[in-house]
PDB file of all heavy atoms in Angstrom:
ATOM      1  N   GLN A 218      87.655 177.718  72.966  1.00  0.00           N
ATOM      2  CA  GLN A 218      87.164 178.935  73.612  1.00  0.00           C
ATOM      3  C   GLN A 218      86.706 179.983  72.617  1.00  0.00           C
ATOM      4  O   GLN A 218      86.695 181.187  72.869  1.00  0.00           O
ATOM      5  CB  GLN A 218      88.295 179.515  74.456  1.00  0.00           C
ATOM      6  CG  GLN A 218      88.827 178.567  75.520  1.00  0.00           C
ATOM      7  CD  GLN A 218      90.050 179.128  76.216  1.00  0.00           C
ATOM      8  OE1 GLN A 218      89.883 179.936  77.147  1.00  0.00           O
ATOM      9  NE2 GLN A 218      91.236 178.719  75.783  1.00  0.00           N
ATOM     10  N   THR A 219      86.203 179.495  71.442  1.00  0.00           N
ATOM     11  CA  THR A 219      85.796 180.415  70.387  1.00  0.00           C
ATOM     12  C   THR A 219      84.806 181.453  70.883  1.00  0.00           C
ATOM     13  O   THR A 219      84.975 182.665  70.638  1.00  0.00           O
ATOM     14  CB  THR A 219      85.174 179.609  69.234  1.00  0.00           C
ATOM     15  OG1 THR A 219      86.202 178.797  68.643  1.00  0.00           O
ATOM     16  CG2 THR A 219      84.615 180.535  68.155  1.00  0.00           C
ATOM     17  N   GLU A 220      83.752 181.037  71.573  1.00  0.00           N
ATOM     18  CA  GLU A 220      82.770 181.981  72.065  1.00  0.00           C
ATOM     19  C   GLU A 220      83.367 182.949  73.046  1.00  0.00           C
ATOM     20  O   GLU A 220      83.262 184.200  72.936  1.00  0.00           O
ATOM     21  CB  GLU A 220      81.612 181.235  72.717  1.00  0.00           C
ATOM     22  CG  GLU A 220      80.560 182.141  73.340  1.00  0.00           C
ATOM     23  CD  GLU A 220      79.562 181.400  74.219  1.00  0.00           C
ATOM     24  OE1 GLU A 220      79.768 180.192  74.506  1.00  0.00           O
ATOM     25  OE2 GLU A 220      78.551 182.037  74.596  1.00  0.00           O
ATOM     26  N   ALA A 221      84.080 182.402  74.080  1.00  0.00           N
ATOM     27  CA  ALA A 221      84.602 183.254  75.135  1.00  0.00           C
ATOM     28  C   ALA A 221      85.613 184.256  74.640  1.00  0.00           C
ATOM     29  O   ALA A 221      85.602 185.408  75.023  1.00  0.00           O
ATOM     30  CB  ALA A 221      85.169 182.383  76.225  1.00  0.00           C
ATOM     31  N   LEU A 222      86.550 183.810  73.790  1.00  0.00           N
ATOM     32  CA  LEU A 222      87.598 184.690  73.291  1.00  0.00           C
ATOM     33  C   LEU A 222      87.006 185.765  72.392  1.00  0.00           C
ATOM     34  O   LEU A 222      87.469 186.935  72.410  1.00  0.00           O
ATOM     35  CB  LEU A 222      88.656 183.908  72.569  1.00  0.00           C
ATOM     36  CG  LEU A 222      89.517 182.998  73.458  1.00  0.00           C
ATOM     37  CD1 LEU A 222      90.393 182.072  72.658  1.00  0.00           C
ATOM     38  CD2 LEU A 222      90.375 183.863  74.404  1.00  0.00           C
ATOM     39  N   SER A 223      86.031 185.404  71.568  1.00  0.00           N
ATOM     40  CA  SER A 223      85.380 186.404  70.713  1.00  0.00           C
ATOM     41  C   SER A 223      84.703 187.503  71.540  1.00  0.00           C
ATOM     42  O   SER A 223      84.796 188.689  71.228  1.00  0.00           O
ATOM     43  CB  SER A 223      84.383 185.759  69.770  1.00  0.00           C
ATOM     44  OG  SER A 223      85.043 184.843  68.872  1.00  0.00           O
ATOM     45  N   LEU A 224      84.033 187.089  72.576  1.00  0.00           N
ATOM     46  CA  LEU A 224      83.384 188.067  73.497  1.00  0.00           C
ATOM     47  C   LEU A 224      84.435 188.934  74.182  1.00  0.00           C
ATOM     48  O   LEU A 224      84.265 190.156  74.234  1.00  0.00           O
ATOM     49  CB  LEU A 224      82.546 187.313  74.533  1.00  0.00           C
ATOM     50  CG  LEU A 224      81.344 186.547  74.025  1.00  0.00           C
ATOM     51  CD1 LEU A 224      80.745 185.703  75.151  1.00  0.00           C
ATOM     52  CD2 LEU A 224      80.279 187.491  73.474  1.00  0.00           C
ATOM     53  N   TYR A 225      85.498 188.303  74.646  1.00  0.00           N
ATOM     54  CA  TYR A 225      86.484 189.047  75.425  1.00  0.00           C
ATOM     55  C   TYR A 225      87.196 190.108  74.611  1.00  0.00           C
ATOM     56  O   TYR A 225      87.255 191.274  74.993  1.00  0.00           O
ATOM     57  CB  TYR A 225      87.541 188.059  75.993  1.00  0.00           C
ATOM     58  CG  TYR A 225      88.507 188.629  76.964  1.00  0.00           C
ATOM     59  CD1 TYR A 225      88.218 188.700  78.298  1.00  0.00           C
ATOM     60  CD2 TYR A 225      89.725 189.114  76.521  1.00  0.00           C
ATOM     61  CE1 TYR A 225      89.143 189.247  79.202  1.00  0.00           C
ATOM     62  CE2 TYR A 225      90.656 189.649  77.411  1.00  0.00           C
ATOM     63  CZ  TYR A 225      90.346 189.713  78.775  1.00  0.00           C
ATOM     64  OH  TYR A 225      91.269 190.229  79.632  1.00  0.00           O
ATOM     65  N   TYR A 226      87.714 189.693  73.441  1.00  0.00           N
ATOM     66  CA  TYR A 226      88.472 190.624  72.616  1.00  0.00           C
ATOM     67  C   TYR A 226      87.539 191.659  71.946  1.00  0.00           C
ATOM     68  O   TYR A 226      87.911 192.833  71.810  1.00  0.00           O
ATOM     69  CB  TYR A 226      89.257 189.896  71.555  1.00  0.00           C
ATOM     70  CG  TYR A 226      90.375 189.010  72.164  1.00  0.00           C
ATOM     71  CD1 TYR A 226      90.567 187.697  71.756  1.00  0.00           C
ATOM     72  CD2 TYR A 226      91.229 189.524  73.134  1.00  0.00           C
ATOM     73  CE1 TYR A 226      91.537 186.908  72.300  1.00  0.00           C
ATOM     74  CE2 TYR A 226      92.240 188.747  73.693  1.00  0.00           C
ATOM     75  CZ  TYR A 226      92.373 187.429  73.281  1.00  0.00           C
ATOM     76  OH  TYR A 226      93.361 186.668  73.841  1.00  0.00           O
ATOM     77  N   SER A 227      86.371 191.226  71.506  1.00  0.00           N
ATOM     78  CA  SER A 227      85.461 192.140  70.813  1.00  0.00           C
ATOM     79  C   SER A 227      84.923 193.213  71.751  1.00  0.00           C
ATOM     80  O   SER A 227      84.580 194.336  71.341  1.00  0.00           O
ATOM     81  CB  SER A 227      84.328 191.374  70.128  1.00  0.00           C
ATOM     82  OG  SER A 227      84.785 190.426  69.196  1.00  0.00           O
ATOM     83  N   GLY A 228      84.766 192.832  73.023  1.00  0.00           N
ATOM     84  CA  GLY A 228      84.200 193.761  73.996  1.00  0.00           C
ATOM     85  C   GLY A 228      85.219 194.591  74.718  1.00  0.00           C
ATOM     86  O   GLY A 228      84.865 195.446  75.560  1.00  0.00           O
ATOM     87  N   GLY A 229      86.533 194.368  74.404  1.00  0.00           N
ATOM     88  CA  GLY A 229      87.547 195.154  75.068  1.00  0.00           C
ATOM     89  C   GLY A 229      87.638 194.912  76.515  1.00  0.00           C
ATOM     90  O   GLY A 229      87.969 195.838  77.340  1.00  0.00           O
TER      91      GLY A 229
END
Side-chain angles (χ1 to χ4, degrees):
Q218 302 173 83
T219 295
E220 176 191 10
L222 290 171
S223 295
L224 293 172
Y225 188 88
Y226 294 132
S227 300

